[in-house]
Amino acid sequence: MRKQRRGRANRERASAVWTVVAWIIGLIFFFPVLYIVLTGFKSESTAITLPPKLIFTPTFEQYREVISRGFTPFFRNSLIASLVSTLIVLILAVPAAYALALRPMRKWKDLLFFFISTKFLPPAGIIIPLYVIFRDLRLLNTLQGLILVYIAMNLPIAIWMLRSFFDEVPRDVLDAARVDGAGMFREMTQILLPMIGPGLVATAFLSIIFAWNEFFFAVNLVATNQAATVPLFMQKFITSEGLFWAKLCAASTMAIAPVVLLGWAAQRQLVRGLSMGAVK
Amino acid sequence: MRIAVPGAAREKTLAAAPAGDPRRYYPVGRWLVAPAFIYAIIVTQIPFLVTLYYSTFRWNLMRPDRKAYIGLENYKNLITSLWDASDPYAFRAAIVNSLIFTIGTVLFSLILGLIFAELVNYEFPGRNIVRTMLITPFLVMPVAGALGWKNLMMDPDFGVIDWLLRATGTGLSPVWLAHFPRQSIVIMLVWRWAPFMMLILLAGMQSIDEEVREAARVDGATRFQEFIGITLPHLNRYMQLGALLGSVYIVQETDAIFMTTQGGPGTLTTNLPYHVYEVAVRGSNIGLGAAIGVVTVILTFIAMTVLLRMLNTLLRGQYA
């Protein structure tokens, strides 16, 4: 039904004027990203040349420089933190979302709203005890600590998003999986999970994106390089002396590339995750 | 609410539960939700309770010997400071800035998002590319995006914006982050959040019944008339949703402030979450920082309550 409508809407063509307007606005909005990426391939002196050079001989010198300054461990830490936290998020969220789609109890809606409310608890409201507790548990400056926080950060989004995908599974299939014990597990892994496969992938992408980009917890809970993630590598550039824009931009490009690509791949599902499944 | 359950599975689960028993709601489900539920309680709710507890102490990490229970005094000090002209805790500034950033960003993002959504809701050559370009700012790591804006775009000497202003002969060359710190932050935030609004509004537009649009066109409506008469009224709920979701996220913003202005000049760009960081982490004042954190949560909670009521309406609409 929805597809049909969209199909008809697609046949509505915009006029040439609107096409040009749309392209100009798109390019203006995209320009800062484009300019960051381009500048990463410039020499430091070309980087601050005005008018901005859009055509130049690219160099990989800045990338080499950034990597030799120890970018790789930060990248690896980010990778571990976002992938491991996402994996655990899915392990916790899939059964919860499935159960919530089946309505496990009279107050299932309250439960659903409990999860969303944890997402809206500002990090500033919990960061101080987290810091103190982590210090006592020796979790400060560890990836394990960050992962624990990122799981909590992404869990509500994952539950809401997955539940909205489970809701689209035909009721009969959902109910067929309601047999207890081993049968249920088999139903879930062999029948249900493949059906919500695209949703599962989109949920994982979103969770990775948010964990990858996260800065506030990282800057408060990680002070040493040992567990520092990419945003913390970027932060060091604000204290560095002089103009190193090309290097900064090379680092930025490596920092943003993985999740920008993931986001492009998941753009159809992005809105569902961001609106907690309320908008499809 | 009773759920109609067809098939044999129903007999099996319901057999154990007498009619009217709450377990008719699929008892195994509770155990499936339990791990996630317990996890969320431990990592989010308990620390918040501890924040509440800390906020009743005078407690500076630099002077642990002076740690003492002082009840609600932190709150009393914060609230009375609102009427103090010198704003000794920068608390009023933080509230004002939080409001400015949140309302300003949501408002401009909604307007831009609406324009973007309307632009890409129609088929034109390269439509997917334009849409992809428009959502990209939302995906860019906020820390990296803010550094790009601070240097490449807003630098007074080498930034593109000031270069454009000079090149077009306006004679203007502001030092953005010093002369217009709040506006600069809002610009960066709008750049990031307009795509979010676009996505939500686009979903709204695509749920409009195409026959209504066609009927309007048959009657000779222009694209503008169609937008005002059909699209906008239909989008009302989606705009509310975008505004409320956006404000809940934006009120928590710290990344751009961290990377560009560090809350300054003075306290002009210090919002509540950044203030918590400044007071508690940089200033080691755990007690006062915790109290500011609690206030931040309360203010967010007010926005959240409205939001939840709305999501509930959306849900009810969906499953009616």
Side-chain angles (χ1 to χ4, degrees), chain A residues 29 32 196 248:
Chain A
F29 224 63
I196 63 152
L248 167 68

Side-chain angles (χ1 to χ4, degrees), chain A residues 10 12 103-104 125 148 167, chain B residues 25 39 51 123 125 191 217 319:
Chain A
N10 282 351
E12 288 301 329
R103 292 145 212 213
L148 286 176
D167 266 336
Chain B
Y25 288 91
Y39 192 92
T51 305
E123 181 64 31
W191 181 69
R217 268 177 231 137
Y319 301 117

Side-chain angles (χ1 to χ4, degrees), chain A residues 63-77:
Chain A
Y63 281 87
R64 274 195 293 274
E65 182 80 17
V66 168
I67 286 167
S68 75
R69 275 201 202 179
F71 180 76
T72 322
F74 291 82
F75 195 88
R76 193 193 55 223
N77 286 339

Side-chain angles (χ1 to χ4, degrees), chain B residues 42-183:
Chain B
I42 291 175
V43 184
T44 65
Q45 308 301 292
I46 290 177
F48 178 64
L49 292 179
V50 179
T51 305
L52 271 176
Y53 173 71
Y54 285 174
S55 73
T56 60
F57 282 85
R58 177 178 64 222
W59 182 13
N60 192 311
L61 287 180
M62 295 294 134
R63 288 169 167 177
D65 50 304
R66 287 189 65 225
K67 183 178 174 182
Y69 175 78
I70 53 169
L72 294 176
E73 199 158 321
N74 282 323
Y75 295 99
K76 213 185 89 198
N77 290 340
L78 282 175
I79 288 167
T80 49
S81 82
L82 287 176
W83 285 271
D84 189 328
S86 66
D87 198 12
Y89 300 106
F91 182 56
R92 195 176 52 217
I95 291 184
V96 169
N97 289 329
S98 281
L99 286 173
I100 292 177
F101 292 158
T102 311
I103 296 172
T105 305
V106 167
L107 198 68
F108 288 112
S109 301
L110 263 180
I111 295 170
L112 278 183
L114 189 60
I115 296 171
F116 295 172
E118 172 68 11
L119 280 174
V120 299
N121 192 31
Y122 289 81
E123 181 64 31
F124 62 86
R127 174 192 180 203
N128 286 338
I129 301 174
V130 171
R131 194 192 53 219
T132 304
M133 289 199 295
L134 285 173
I135 64 162
T136 305
F138 189 76
L139 302 168
V140 168
M141 179 182 289
V143 165
L147 280 177
W149 273 96
K150 179 191 176 193
N151 295 319
L152 304 179
M153 304 303 290
M154 288 178 168
D155 187 272
D157 299 316
F158 304 106
V160 171
I161 297 179
D162 279 20
W163 168 74
L164 269 177
L165 288 175
R166 287 192 299 269
T168 49
T170 56
L172 300 170
S173 189
V175 183
W176 283 92
L177 293 169
H179 297 162
F180 305 109
R182 283 170 170 163
Q183 291 89 331

Side-chain angles (χ1 to χ4, degrees), chain A residues 5-6 8-10 12-14 18-19 21-23 25-27 29-33 35-36 39 48 50-52 92 95-96 98-100 102-106 108-109 111 113-130 132 148 151-152 155 157 159-160 163 167 171-172 175 178-180 184 209 212-213 215-216 219-220 230-231 234-235 237-238 243 245 248-249 252 255-256 259-260 263-264 267-268 270-271 274-276 278-280, chain B residues 1 3 5-6 9 20 25-26 28-30 32-33 35-37 39-41 43-45 47-48 50-51 54 116 119 122-127 129-144 147-149 151-153 155 157-158 160 163 166 191 194-196 199-200 203 206-211 214 217 223 238 241 245 248-249 252 254-255 258-259 262 273 276-277 280-281 286 289-290 293 297 300 304 307-308 311-312 314-315 318-319:
Chain A
R5 263 193 240 138
R6 205 175 278 168
R8 258 184 283 158
N10 282 351
E12 288 301 329
R13 295 205 146 265
W18 285 116
T19 304
V21 171
W23 267 95
I25 290 184
L27 284 169
F29 224 63
F30 186 66
F31 179 77
V33 183
Y35 197 39
I36 288 174
T39 306
I48 53 170
L50 287 171
L92 290 171
Y98 167 64
L100 284 167
L102 281 177
R103 292 145 212 213
M105 60 191 80
R106 191 166 307 198
W108 68 275
K109 268 193 182 173
L111 201 58
F113 284 121
F114 161 75
F115 282 112
I116 208 177
S117 75
T118 69
K119 180 66 203 164
F120 296 152
L121 184 65
I126 58 171
I127 191 65
I128 298 170
L130 277 184
V132 176
L148 286 176
I151 295 169
L155 193 56
I157 298 181
I159 290 177
W160 272 69
R163 189 201 57 94
D167 266 336
R171 204 74 213 167
D172 293 351
D175 285 322
R178 276 175 72 155
V179 282
D180 302 72
M184 186 187 72
I209 290 171
W212 182 274
N213 286 347
F215 174 67
F216 186 75
V219 77
N220 281 299
V230 172
M234 303 304 302
Q235 187 208 3
F237 272 95
I238 53 172
L243 291 171
W245 288 8
L248 167 68
C249 289
S252 296
I256 67 178
V259 301
V260 166
W264 285 353
Q267 52 177 287
R268 293 224 170 268
L270 216 51
V271 65
L274 294 169
S275 68
M276 315 281 162
V279 175
K280 285 170 191 166
Chain B
M1 188 179 13
I3 315 299
V5 185
Y25 288 91
Y26 184 48
V28 180
R30 294 179 194 189
L32 294 176
V33 186
F37 182 71
Y39 192 92
I41 294 271
V43 184
T44 65
Q45 308 301 292
F48 178 64
V50 179
T51 305
Y54 285 174
F116 295 172
L119 280 174
Y122 289 81
E123 181 64 31
F124 62 86
R127 174 192 180 203
I129 301 174
V130 171
R131 194 192 53 219
T132 304
M133 289 199 295
L134 285 173
I135 64 162
T136 305
F138 189 76
L139 302 168
V140 168
M141 179 182 289
V143 165
L147 280 177
W149 273 96
N151 295 319
L152 304 179
M153 304 303 290
D155 187 272
D157 299 316
F158 304 106
V160 171
W163 168 74
R166 287 192 299 269
W191 181 69
F196 168 82
L199 282 171
I200 288 194
Q206 286 171 347
S207 71
I208 296 177
D209 194 343
E210 197 54 31
E211 307 205 332
E214 260 159 37
R217 268 177 231 137
R223 181 163 170 181
Y238 290 85
L241 180 68
L245 272 174
V248 171
Y249 286 118
Q252 302 175 8
T254 50
D255 300 9
F258 228 111
M259 304 310 277
Q262 308 248 304
V276 173
Y277 163 80
V281 180
I286 299 288
V297 172
T300 311
M304 186 190 76
L307 166 76
L308 289 190
L311 278 179
N312 210 352
L314 270 180
L315 271 180
Q318 226 170 296
Y319 301 117

Side-chain angles (χ1 to χ4, degrees), chain B residues 182-244:
Chain B
R182 283 170 170 163
Q183 291 89 331
S184 302
I185 297 285
V186 170
I187 289 173
M188 292 178 215
L189 293 181
V190 168
W191 181 69
R192 180 168 162 69
W193 287 96
F196 168 82
M197 300 299 179
M198 175 189 84
L199 282 171
I200 288 194
L201 296 178
L202 198 55
M205 284 179 183
Q206 286 171 347
S207 71
I208 296 177
D209 194 343
E210 197 54 31
E211 307 205 332
V212 180
R213 281 183 182 282
E214 260 159 37
R217 268 177 231 137
V218 170
D219 290 344
T222 63
R223 181 163 170 181
F224 182 71
Q225 286 170 330
E226 192 186 314
F227 179 72
I228 299 291
I230 298 171
T231 311
L232 267 188
H234 179 85
L235 286 185
N236 188 13
R237 224 164 53 162
Y238 290 85
M239 286 168 69
Q240 288 180 41
L241 180 68
L244 289 161

